[in-house]
DNA sequence: GTTCTAGAAC
DNA sequence: GTTCTAGAAC
């Protein structure tokens, strides 16, 4: 069936007819579904005059009424402005008056932000000060209630156009659509993006997938579809038809969470492909992006409901942005072609994007290795892919593609549900690689075009066979297919050999159109749903669209979370095999029990996988009990990298440990001991040598532990739960009466210990009157003020030590009323100490004034004492004492550093120059300057990027390794400029004759 | 193909 | 402050 529609001429007519018509766009969505953000994003970039009418603020910044909104809208429309109606508009009644704003001169559109409730709730829970003023734990209840009465808008209400957005990708599409809408442009009428069960599918090969029953839950969208003006209306209809009602039902009842890739589309044949030739082969990105977009466009019509996805590893991928921009310009259907940031070998498992075919940017020998995508795909595909490839061809010419069906033994098949890999060889522009085209872009472009053509044709040939022609045997099908070439023919045969199941399913479609089919579709969607059931937006699929849309989700874990937070794994459910159902009940009960005592502290249940069953169970139960999701929530991520990878700051983490409190044994315990380093192990040993089931022990983390420096974790609480695993010691042998008791005890101990930490931690904004006498009162305002904001934990590390050295006994070498001495955590030389001033408010050298002169002198004296101590141990050392002009860490600290600079931590130019240019201010000079001029001379950070010069002979070196190798040998005397500033054992002139 | 840097993210 | 990694330099 042809998809060609002469849209150009139709649009033209439309434009002339409706030039300059203002539009009313009703945003439809729950609180925090992104309505305001949507409007603002469009308005920021649009050339059309827009007015956003927000009921939450229309009344001089306060919430107003519907009539106010209507009035304001009418005025704006008269002025020729288009209008966003930014209120929930969730049911027909709420919308009807706004629809009436429409008329012959005004079109009314709806943009439906039909995002998972969970996402909205988590956004609300995290945000403060939003106009809507719906915050905190009530959010869940409110949103859920609102969504229960949700009625999706229909064209029959009077809208001329409706866009349904059920994921970030959809939102981005809508954003692009409205942003690109110039003052005199118009948009095609009809429904877009809806996963409508009634949508009639009639195009080509897709006819067999037509929904068997028509439930009539929506009216007439489909007929309007066929009247739709744009080409995309048809296309979208086709796409969406695959997974209709089932997903909708689930959406309403189970709120599948964050999901930037519309999961409804995940049954659709999809090709994920890397940009060909632009990495190692160094093809010009601009040209490559043009070719990609053109080729995709050319194939668009033949694709049916299949999808093409350009994949790259990083958000910053230039080729992705170029392609996105160009595709948007061409108004390409972003449902059938989009970009995706992620690992092409883990799209399903990590990204939640199901692609049954992936392309490989191969080399001409079709061999693994070589880095990049090729190495990754061969790695992931395993030997099975290698041999399957070898069986089909030994080499590939530039511009060609080879379709390889994946044996079901390949991990890519089992884990990622990839059925085929298509190797593609593009042109090479890299002189260091074979067959370089030597910048001949005429040839190069031709070859790259051919490469994409071959790739897409190969994919189509697969897609066609996948859209099972149900009532035919595989043999029959084969003979009827137009097979592109011999290779593919062989491949197709292979494909059928491992897809009997699929063929079977197709028969169901054809022969049994009633319940069986529905059921199986439901099942499919449920599975997809679970996998996607991410907890928080943070862990969502790494779709770049997320970013582009300036999506509030990304920040939904609040940045200003100085709140005491305990992250804990589910105890006993992993290695100890405790029943998940029971465990989840206990967790929720215990959390509930402690909720009142928590103050503003938070508890976070953490698990590694999106698919974590315990997380979903706990989430469901916590939601049922309406537990404040601000103070208790679940999180998907590595508990040892919550801050560095997830941006979630947890000052305390729990460890599901073993009774010996020993490292190892896999799972969380191994990970935490690993991450904590030897310090954690040593500290743990100090606290206890073993643990009984149901008990917990608190281990304060030395500031030398990476968990402390990198993650800001101050305490680890080891917890031992009951063991139900017969292969582990002390198995309870299925005795869940005992087991539950112990598990309850374990959580009680855990939470109690956490509370005791939280209560003594300085950070708790103290509830009035309740002071904690033993603590020095730290100026919270100061922390909150100039230096912290949302800075990383390490910035504060020295300050904390200076203020409470007794808490850091393990690392403090010396402490007095005035100073604290400790080893630099990352010494840049054999000996490298820091002498901290214990002077409140002296954050850095810039703060030093006359009144600090005594402090400066004390720092110097103490530094000198330590340098001399070291000189006693090693007379060959030479020391300098001084300050960084602009330090990276808060609290004035004097560096005492030996001039060997022999250290693995000395890694880059900045490190070097911070000690070996004028950026490093010698302590004696500083004292003199402050004394004479009232402050110290500070040098600019520009000095840090100077060339690398030997500090002795002043020779220049091209890079750090060379410099380091040079200084390890350089024996030149120190420059005269350092006279009087070096601390060293006087050369033995005294004993000289 | 590897080494190294610089910039971003944390 | 470190870590990570793309891209430059070699």
């Amino acid at each position: 069936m042809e998809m060609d529609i002469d849209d150009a001429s139709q649009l033209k007519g439309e434009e002339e007819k409706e030039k300059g018509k203002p539009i009313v766009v009703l945003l439809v969505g729950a609180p925090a579904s992104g309505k305001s953000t949507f409007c603002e994003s469009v308005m920021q970039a649009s050339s059309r005059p827009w007015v956003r009418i927000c009921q939450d603020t229309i009344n001089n910044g306060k919430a107003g009424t519907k009539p106010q909104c209507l009035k304001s809208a009418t005025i704006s429309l008269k002025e020729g402005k288009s209008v966003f109606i930014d209120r929930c508009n969730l049911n027909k009644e709420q919308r009807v008056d706004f629809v009436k704003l429409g008329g012959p001169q005004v079109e009314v559109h709806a943009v439906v932000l039909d995002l998972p409730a969970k996402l909205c709730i988590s956004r609300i829970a995290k945000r403060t000060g939003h106009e809507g003023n719906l915050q905190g734990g009530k959010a869940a209840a409110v949103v859920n209630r609102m969504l229960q009465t949700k009625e999706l808008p229909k064209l029959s209400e009077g809208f001329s156009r409706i866009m349904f957005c059920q994921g970030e990708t959809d939102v981005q599409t809508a954003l692009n659509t409205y942003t690109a809408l110039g003052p005199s442009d118009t948009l095609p009428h009809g429904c877009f993006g809806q996963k409508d069960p009634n949508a009639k599918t009639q195009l080509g090969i897709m006819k067999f997938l037509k929904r068997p029953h028509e439930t009539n839950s929506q009216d007439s969208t489909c007929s309007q579809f066929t009247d739709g003006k744009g080409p995309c209306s048809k296309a979208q209809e086709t796409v969406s038809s695959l997974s209709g009602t089932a997903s909708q039902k689930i959406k309403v009842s189970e709120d599948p969470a964050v999901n930037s890739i519309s999961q409804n589309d995940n049954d659709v044949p999809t090709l994920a492909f890397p940009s060909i030739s632009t990495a190692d082969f160094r093809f010009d990105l601009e040209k490559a992006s043009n070719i990609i977009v053109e080729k995709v466009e050319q194939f668009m019509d033949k694709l049916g409901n299949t999808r093409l996805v350009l994949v790259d590893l990083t958000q910053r991928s230039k080729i992705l942005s170029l392609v996105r921009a160009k595709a948007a310009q061409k108004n390409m259907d972003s449902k059938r072609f989009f970009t995706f940031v992620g690992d092409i070998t883990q799209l399903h498992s990590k990204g939640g994007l199901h692609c049954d075919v992936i392309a490989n940017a191969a080399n001409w020998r079709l061999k693994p290795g070589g880095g990049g995508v090729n190495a990754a795909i061969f790695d992931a595909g395993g030997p099975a892919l290698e041999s399957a490839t070898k069986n089909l061809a030994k080499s590939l010419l530039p511009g060609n593609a080879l379709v390889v069906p994946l044996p079901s033994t390949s991990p890519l098949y089992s884990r990622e549900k990839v059925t085929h890999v298509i190797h593609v060889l593009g042109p090479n522009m890299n002189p260091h690689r074979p067959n370089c085209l030597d910048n001949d872009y005429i040839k190069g472009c031709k070859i790259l075009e051919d490469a994409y053509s071959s790739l897409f044709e190969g994919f189509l040939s697969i897609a066609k066979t996948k859209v099972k022609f149900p009532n035919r045997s595989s043999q029959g099908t084969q003979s009827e297919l137009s097979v592109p070439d011999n290779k593919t023919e062989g491949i197709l045969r292979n494909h059928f050999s491992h897809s009997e199941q699929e063929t079977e399913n197709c028969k169901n479609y054809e022969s049994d159109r009633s319940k069986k089919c529905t059921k199986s579709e439901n099942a499919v969607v449920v599975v997809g749903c679970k996998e996607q059931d991410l907890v928080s937006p943070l862990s969502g699929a790494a779709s770049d669209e997320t970013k582009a849309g300036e999506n509030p989700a990304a920040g939904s874990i609040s940045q200003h979370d100085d709140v005491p937070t305990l992250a804990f794994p589910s105890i006993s459910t992993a290695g100890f095999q405790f029943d998940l159902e029971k465990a989840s009940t206990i967790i929720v009960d215990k959390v509930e029990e402690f909720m009142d005592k928590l103050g503003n502290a938070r508890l976070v249940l953490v698990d590694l996988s999106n698919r974590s069953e315990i997380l979903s169970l706990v989430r469901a139960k916590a939601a049922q009990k309406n537990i404040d999701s601000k103070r208790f929530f679940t999180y998907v991520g590595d508990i040892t990298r919550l801050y560095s990878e997830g941006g979630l700051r947890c000052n305390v983490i729990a460890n599901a440990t073993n009774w010996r409190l020993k490292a190892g044994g896999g799972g969380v315990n191994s990970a935490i001991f690993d991450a904590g380093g030897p310090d954690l192990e040593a500290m743990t040993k100090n606290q206890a040598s073993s643990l009984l089931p149901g008990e917990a022990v608190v281990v304060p983390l030395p500031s030398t532990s990476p968990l402390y420096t990198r993650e800001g974790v101050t305490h680890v609480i080891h917890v031992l739960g009951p063991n139900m695993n017969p292969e582990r010691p002390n198995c309870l042998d299925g005795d869940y009466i005992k087991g539950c008791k112990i598990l309850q005890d374990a959580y009680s101990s855990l939470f109690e210990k956490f509370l005791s930490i939280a209560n003594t931690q300085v950070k708790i904004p103290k509830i009035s009157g309740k002071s904690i006498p033993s603590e020095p009162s730290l100026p919270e305002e100061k922390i909150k003020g100039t230096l912290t904001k949302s800075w990383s934990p390490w910035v504060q590390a020295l300050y904390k030590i200076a203020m409470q050295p007794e808490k850091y006994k393990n690392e403090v070498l010396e402490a007095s009323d005035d100073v604290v001495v400790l080893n630099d955590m990352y010494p840049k030389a054999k000996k490298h100490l820091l002498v901290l001033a214990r002077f409140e408010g002296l954050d850095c050298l810039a703060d030093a004034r006359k009144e600090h002169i005594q402090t400066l002198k004390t720092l110097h004296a103490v530094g000198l004492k330590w340098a001399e101590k070291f000189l006693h141990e090693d007379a060959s050392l030479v020391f300098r004492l001084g300050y960084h002009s602009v330090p990276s860490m808060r609290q004035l600290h004097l560096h005492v550093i030996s001039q060997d600079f022999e250290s693995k931590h000395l890694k880059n130019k900045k490190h070097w120059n911070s000690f070996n240019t004028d950026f490093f201010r010698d302590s004696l000079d500083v004292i003199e300057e402050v004394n004479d001029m009232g402050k110290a001379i500070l040098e600019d950070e520009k000095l840090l990027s100077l060339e690398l010069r030997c500090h002795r002979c002043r020779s220049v070196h091209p890079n750090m390794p060379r410099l380091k190798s040079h200084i390890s040998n350089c024996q030149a005397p120190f420059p005269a400029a350092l006279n009087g500033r070096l601390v060293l054992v006087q050369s033995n002139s005294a004993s000289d004759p």
Side-chain angles (χ1 to χ4, degrees):
Chain A
M1 171 129 353
E2 283 298 310
M3 295 186 66
D4 290 340
I5 294 173
D6 191 358
D7 51 296
S9 63
Q10 285 198 28
L11 276 176
K12 211 174 165 193
E14 200 75 29
E15 252 169 58
E16 258 153 12
K17 215 166 49 200
E18 306 184 8
K19 196 167 185 174
K21 255 191 192 181
I23 311 174
V24 176
V25 179
L26 267 73
L27 278 303
V28 176
S33 54
K35 298 185 297 294
S36 300
T37 309
F38 183 93
C39 302
E40 278 156 14
S41 304
V42 171
M43 291 167 74
Q44 213 166 28
S46 172
S47 60
R48 173 182 278 259
W50 283 100
V51 172
R52 167 178 162 244
I53 294 174
C54 173
Q55 189 162 340
D56 289 337
T57 56
I58 193 165
N59 194 8
N60 287 325
K62 292 183 191 150
T65 60
K66 190 160 95 174
Q68 279 176 309
C69 295
L70 284 163
K71 192 177 161 197
S72 172
T74 311
I75 294 169
S76 296
L77 288 169
K78 275 189 187 147
E79 291 169 355
K81 291 173 184 159
S82 293
V83 171
F84 283 117
I85 306 295
D86 180 4
R87 60 204 288 284
C88 293
N89 295 315
L90 280 173
N91 56 50
K92 190 174 167 182
E93 198 192 322
Q94 292 165 352
R95 292 187 290 260
V96 60
D97 290 320
F98 291 98
V99 175
K100 284 181 192 156
L101 292 169
Q105 288 314 310
V106 178
E107 274 187 21
V108 184
H109 298 183
V111 171
V112 185
L113 302 176
D114 192 15
L115 302 174
K118 208 161 258 172
L119 171 56
C120 302
I121 293 167
S122 78
R123 283 176 182 174
I124 296 170
K126 305 295 158 24
R127 76 184 177 187
T128 51
H130 178 267
E131 292 157 350
N133 213 20
L134 176 65
Q135 294 169 19
K138 284 184 187 159
V142 174
V143 169
N144 280 326
R145 188 159 8 98
M146 287 179 99
L147 288 181
Q148 267 165 22
T149 62
K150 168 181 85 172
E151 297 169 77
L152 292 176
K154 298 160 192 168
L155 294 172
S156 59
E157 289 175 33
F159 293 103
S160 50
R161 176 186 174 89
I162 302 175
M163 283 184 95
F164 293 94
C165 306
Q166 302 192 321
E168 296 300 339
T169 318
D170 296 348
V171 174
Q172 191 58 47
T173 308
L175 251 175
N176 293 343
T177 306
Y178 281 95
T179 306
L181 193 68
S184 53
D185 295 340
T186 57
L187 288 171
H189 294 180
C191 279
F192 298 87
Q194 189 179 23
K195 317 299 184 280
D196 189 312
N198 293 332
K200 278 183 184 158
T201 45
Q202 53 207 346
L203 300 174
I205 53 182
M206 292 320 301
K207 63 183 164 189
F208 297 102
L209 294 177
K210 183 177 169 182
R211 293 286 311 172
H213 51 78
E214 318 282 290
T215 50
N216 207 25
S217 64
Q218 304 276 328
D219 60 350
S220 69
T221 34
C222 50
S223 61
Q224 312 225 14
F225 247 131
T226 31
D227 296 341
K229 307 292 191 292
C232 42
S233 55
K234 267 198 171 178
Q236 300 215 348
E237 174 192 19
T238 325
V239 172
S240 55
S241 61
L242 263 177
S243 44
T245 9
S247 65
Q248 271 195 341
K249 278 180 195 152
I250 285 158
K251 268 232 152 73
V252 173
S253 59
E254 290 186 26
D255 301 329
V258 194
N259 175 9
S260 53
I261 300 295
S262 166
Q263 64 202 28
N264 305 304
D265 295 339
N266 267 349
D267 291 349
V268 177
T270 304
L271 167 69
F273 63 102
S275 169
I276 305 297
S277 287
T278 51
D280 274 0
F281 284 176
R282 300 199 189 160
F283 200 93
D284 178 79
L285 294 180
E286 193 60 43
K287 294 192 174 69
S289 59
N290 282 334
I291 292 176
I292 293 173
V293 174
E294 278 161 20
K295 277 292 156 188
V296 168
E297 199 181 20
Q298 188 185 330
F299 272 82
M300 215 56 168
D301 287 348
K302 306 184 196 162
L303 284 176
N305 74 332
T306 62
R307 304 185 299 182
L308 303 178
V309 187
L310 177 66
V311 176
D312 200 353
L313 266 176
T314 159
Q315 293 283 7
R316 277 163 286 167
S317 162
K318 193 144 182 218
I319 188 79
L320 288 201
S321 9
L322 285 169
V323 166
R324 263 203 306 278
K326 288 170 185 175
Q329 241 174 38
K330 297 202 169 205
N331 240 326
M332 291 172 81
D333 181 356
S334 68
K335 269 237 155 69
R336 291 193 296 152
F337 174 52
F338 52 94
T339 64
F340 189 86
V341 175
D343 180 346
I344 199 166
T345 66
Q346 306 193 46
L347 292 173
H348 182 70
S349 59
K350 288 262 173 78
L353 176 69
H354 180 206
C355 298
D356 36 10
V357 184
I358 64 176
N360 175 31
N363 51 45
W364 74 279
R365 282 187 168 288
L366 292 166
K367 284 278 164 77
V373 170
N374 187 61
I377 289 183
F378 270 107
D379 255 16
L385 171 61
E386 221 174 310
S387 59
T389 302
K390 208 187 285 175
N391 286 344
L392 289 168
K394 285 203 181 82
S395 70
L396 201 59
L397 287 174
N400 284 317
L402 172 70
V403 180
V404 180
L406 262 184
S408 55
T409 49
S410 164
L412 272 181
Y413 184 90
S414 49
R415 190 189 63 210
E416 305 296 328
K417 322 260 188 278
V418 172
T419 62
H420 297 74
V421 171
I422 307 182
H423 297 295
V424 195
L425 185 60
N428 173 30
M429 293 298 178
N430 182 351
H432 300 289
R433 292 295 176 90
N435 301 321
C436 173
L437 286 179
D438 227 354
N439 231 23
D440 180 352
Y441 269 102
I442 297 180
K443 226 184 239 171
C445 286
K446 177 77 183 54
I447 295 176
L448 192 59
E449 284 162 17
D450 288 350
Y452 281 110
S453 292
S454 315
L455 169 61
F456 296 155
E457 264 160 25
F459 169 59
L460 275 184
S461 72
I462 299 165
K464 275 184 190 164
T465 62
K466 286 213 171 191
V467 182
K468 318 97 183 187
F469 292 76
N471 49 1
R472 293 171 195 167
S473 72
S474 57
Q475 279 163 348
T477 312
Q478 231 182 85
S479 61
E480 296 217 10
L481 282 168
S482 66
V483 178
D485 60 36
N486 293 338
K487 273 179 200 152
T488 320
E489 191 168 8
I491 292 153
L492 293 175
R493 206 172 295 121
N494 278 339
H495 169 69
F496 277 106
S497 69
H498 73 66
S499 63
E500 287 159 350
Q501 173 115 37
E502 292 170 27
T503 321
E504 205 51 40
N505 287 344
C506 309
K507 283 182 190 156
N508 289 344
Y509 272 101
E510 181 73 2
S511 60
D512 181 358
R513 291 192 158 189
S514 54
K515 283 178 185 168
K516 200 166 181 181
C517 185
T518 320
K519 211 171 170 185
S520 76
E521 274 205 5
N522 261 327
V524 169
V525 178
V526 170
V527 170
C529 177
K530 249 192 184 157
E531 287 171 353
Q532 303 281 344
D533 195 13
L534 312 181
V535 190
S536 73
L538 273 178
S539 46
S543 141
D544 46 338
E545 278 86 358
T546 311
K547 201 145 211 176
E550 195 233 316
N551 168 16
S556 75
I557 298 265
S558 65
Q559 293 303 304
H560 44 86
D561 43 6
D562 272 356
V563 181
T565 305
L566 167 70
F568 64 101
S570 170
I571 305 297
S572 288
T573 50
F576 286 175
Q577 301 183 357
F578 199 94
D579 177 77
L580 294 180
E581 189 59 42
K582 293 190 175 69
S584 59
T585 305
I586 291 175
I587 292 173
V588 175
D589 287 348
K590 277 292 158 188
V591 167
E592 199 182 19
E593 187 183 319
F594 273 82
M595 217 53 173
D596 289 340
K597 307 180 196 163
L598 281 177
N600 70 334
R602 306 184 297 182
L603 304 176
V604 187
L605 177 66
V606 176
D607 200 355
L608 264 177
S609 157
N610 288 335
R611 273 164 281 174
S612 161
E613 206 168 323
I614 188 78
L615 288 201
S616 351
L617 286 167
V618 166
R619 266 203 304 278
K621 287 173 185 174
Q624 242 173 37
K625 297 199 167 207
N626 245 326
I627 291 181
D628 180 356
S629 67
K630 201 167 185 175
R631 292 188 297 150
F632 174 55
F633 51 94
T634 64
Y635 186 85
V636 175
D638 179 347
I639 199 166
T640 67
R641 308 187 80 97
L642 292 173
Y643 180 69
S644 60
E645 285 183 358
L648 176 68
R649 205 166 298 164
C650 298
N651 54 338
V652 184
I653 64 176
N655 176 30
T657 193
N658 48 48
W659 73 278
R660 282 186 169 287
L661 290 165
K662 284 280 161 82
V668 170
N669 189 59
S670 288
I672 290 183
F673 270 108
D674 260 16
D679 293 309
L680 173 60
E681 231 170 300
M683 283 300 277
T684 302
K685 214 184 279 175
N686 282 346
Q687 303 285 331
S689 55
S690 70
L691 208 56
L692 288 173
E695 284 184 350
V697 60
V698 178
V699 178
L701 215 48
S703 61
T704 46
S705 163
L707 272 181
Y708 182 100
T709 54
R710 190 188 62 211
E711 307 295 327
V713 173
T714 61
H715 296 77
V716 172
I717 306 181
H718 298 294
V719 195
L720 184 61
N723 172 30
M724 293 298 180
N725 181 352
E727 285 162 26
R728 297 285 179 91
N730 300 319
C731 173
L732 286 179
D733 227 355
D735 180 352
Y736 269 101
I737 297 182
K738 228 184 237 169
C740 287
K741 177 75 183 53
I742 295 176
L743 193 57
Q744 286 162 357
D745 289 349
Y747 282 109
S748 291
S749 319
L750 170 60
F751 295 155
E752 264 159 24
K753 305 267 173 175
F754 168 60
L755 275 185
S756 72
I757 299 168
N759 283 333
T760 54
Q761 290 226 333
V762 200
K763 286 218 163 164
I764 299 189
K766 299 201 175 74
I767 299 145
S768 58
K770 216 180 173 185
S771 70
I772 293 147
S774 63
E775 301 290 333
S777 66
L778 290 190
E780 190 67 22
E781 331 74 63
K782 176 104 195 172
I783 299 182
K784 287 262 155 72
T786 50
L787 265 156
T788 357
K789 301 248 159 143
S790 57
W791 286 24
S792 316
W794 52 265
V795 178
Q796 304 291 359
L798 295 181
Y799 174 78
K800 288 184 179 170
I801 296 172
M803 292 302 130
Q804 293 168 290
E806 66 278 4
K807 274 197 169 175
Y808 305 88
K809 289 195 181 106
N810 283 8
E811 38 279 339
V812 168
L813 300 172
E814 175 189 349
S816 67
D817 288 348
D818 304 316
V819 302
V820 173
V821 182
L822 69 158
N823 276 308
D824 191 294
M825 205 121 50
Y826 300 91
K828 303 300 186 290
K830 280 185 190 166
K831 294 290 178 190
H832 185 183
L833 298 182
L834 302 178
V835 186
L836 313 184
R838 294 196 66 193
F839 198 102
E840 180 63 47
L842 196 51
D843 287 338
C844 55
L845 194 49
D847 294 342
R849 293 294 179 272
K850 270 233 168 87
E851 67 259 35
H852 301 116
I853 201 89
Q854 192 49 54
T855 304
L856 293 173
K857 285 181 176 170
T858 307
L859 293 182
H860 186 85
V862 173
L864 198 59
K865 183 185 81 187
W866 278 89
E868 284 165 349
K869 176 181 181 303
F870 289 135
L871 288 171
H872 272 290
E873 296 162 10
D874 182 350
S876 72
L877 295 174
V878 177
F879 284 92
R880 265 180 96 184
L881 278 61
Y883 302 88
H884 284 154
S885 288
V886 185
S888 300
M889 297 175 85
R890 180 184 185 188
Q891 195 66 11
L892 183 71
H893 52 282
L894 173 76
H895 289 270
V896 178
I897 185 164
S898 63
Q899 298 296 294
D900 47 82
F901 294 108
E902 190 185 311
S903 163
K904 62 173 184 180
H905 298 292
L906 182 71
K907 289 175 174 164
N908 57 45
K909 189 176 263 191
K910 186 177 172 184
H911 290 153
W912 177 256
N913 283 334
S914 72
F915 290 103
N916 292 290
T917 64
D918 289 340
F919 185 84
F920 187 81
R921 303 300 335 283
D922 282 283
S923 169
L924 287 175
D925 294 338
V926 165
I927 292 172
E928 198 178 308
E929 288 155 11
V930 173
N931 196 39
D932 296 350
M933 310 184 296
K935 56 181 176 184
I937 296 169
L938 302 178
E939 292 294 343
D940 198 273
E941 282 172 290
K942 278 175 196 155
L943 297 183
L944 298 178
S945 42
L946 288 177
E947 71 279 34
L948 296 168
R949 238 173 233 288
C950 171
H951 59 316
R952 287 171 170 259
C953 72
R954 308 303 295 162
S955 58
V956 176
H957 299 267
N959 54 44
M960 281 306 289
R962 301 271 279 275
L963 173 75
K964 288 182 83 169
S965 135
H966 167 84
I967 58 172
S968 68
N969 298 315
C970 183
Q971 297 295 321
F974 284 95
L978 292 178
N979 280 352
R981 289 159 182 96
L982 297 172
V983 180
L984 68 172
V985 175
Q986 293 297 320
S987 63
N988 42 4
S989 54
S991 58
D992 275 353

